[in-house]
Amino acid sequence: MKIRPLDIEGAWEITPQQHGDPRGLFMEWYRFDRLAEAVGHPLRLGQGNLSVSARDVVRGIHYADVPPGQAKYVTCVRGAVLDVVVDLRVGSPTFGQWEGVRLDEVDRRAVYLAEGLGHGFCSLTDDAVLTYLCSTTYNPGAEHGVHPLDEELGIAWPAGTPQLSARDAAAPTLAEMRAAGLLPEYATCREFTASLGDAPYPGGG
């Protein structure tokens, strides 16, 4: 697989090598050791999620308090989405910026985003299926959202009429979350991710 850093620090695009023949195909969609080598620490798996979305559904922008935050490894196993990473870390050189990666069942790319980064996506097809590997379990008291249609973020969602959940439609803007002191701090996020470098590999390797 090829692992490429995105312009936002702490986010990577992963492109697997697919091996196909008339029977079908095989690929490694996640490699613990290769990801750890690229990002500087292993991904501790706390939870696996799966979502199914109709066309034009927009989910996000979601993030969790740091520490411990919630790193995510996201891939699309059916259909296609525009996956979006947003830098919500106050003090970051790219604070408020976003970057999109198309995830689909053709190239089968994945996106890894570190703790403190915001995540969202727009479904480009009906019944788009995303799977997430998450570093921590869901903690509703530490989960937050920024409105995905916030004009300050200016995310170019490829949807005629974005379909939002009630929660996302009621989410505050980036400016409101910053004023409330609810956004993660860049320095805190960097310190936390640096501390993960000594985490053991599975099996004690």
Side-chain angles (χ1 to χ4, degrees):
M1 59 177 55
K2 297 181 180 179
I3 303 179
R4 178 181 70 88
L6 299 181
D7 292 336
I8 295 175
E9 177 189 337
W12 283 263
E13 174 194 88
I14 300 94
T15 304
Q17 182 177 3
Q18 302 185 58
H19 305 276
D21 61 28
R23 299 170 302 160
L25 64 84
F26 172 85
M27 66 179 219
E28 296 176 344
W29 69 274
Y30 169 72
R31 275 284 298 267
F32 183 95
D33 54 344
R34 293 288 305 278
L35 183 67
E37 180 182 5
V39 309
H41 62 82
L43 171 62
R44 293 178 174 175
L45 298 182
Q47 182 170 317
N49 299 333
L50 184 147
S51 70
V52 182
S53 301
R55 185 189 298 269
D56 290 344
V57 165
V58 171
R59 300 183 189 269
I61 303 294
H62 302 151
Y63 69 98
D65 291 333
V66 180
Q70 190 180 65
K72 297 176 181 176
Y73 188 96
V74 187
T75 191
C76 181
V77 297
R78 184 173 68 190
V81 305
L82 177 69
D83 202 69
V84 171
V85 179
V86 183
D87 195 345
L88 303 176
R89 303 166 300 185
V90 177
S92 168
T94 54
F95 174 74
Q97 296 183 25
W98 66 276
E99 190 165 358
V101 176
R102 180 185 172 97
L103 304 181
D104 58 37
E105 62 185 16
V106 178
D107 295 322
R108 303 182 190 277
R109 293 187 180 94
V111 167
Y112 172 82
L113 59 152
E115 295 84 352
L117 294 176
H119 177 255
F121 68 87
C122 176
S123 180
L124 306 176
T125 62
D126 281 324
D127 295 326
V129 179
L130 256 64
T131 62
Y132 312 66
L133 300 179
C134 303
S135 63
T136 57
T137 57
Y138 176 64
N139 179 2
E143 296 281 335
H144 305 285
V146 173
H147 202 294
L149 306 184
D150 183 0
E151 293 183 358
E152 182 179 355
L153 292 178
I155 300 174
W157 297 111
T161 303
Q163 305 298 311
L164 308 180
S165 69
R167 172 196 173 193
D168 291 340
T173 65
L174 182 69
E176 289 170 337
M177 293 297 283
R178 184 173 188 178
L182 293 174
L183 294 179
E185 295 286 340
Y186 178 60
T188 301
C189 293
R190 295 198 74 190
E191 180 180 355
F192 177 74
T193 54
S195 74
L196 299 175
D198 295 329
Y201 277 41

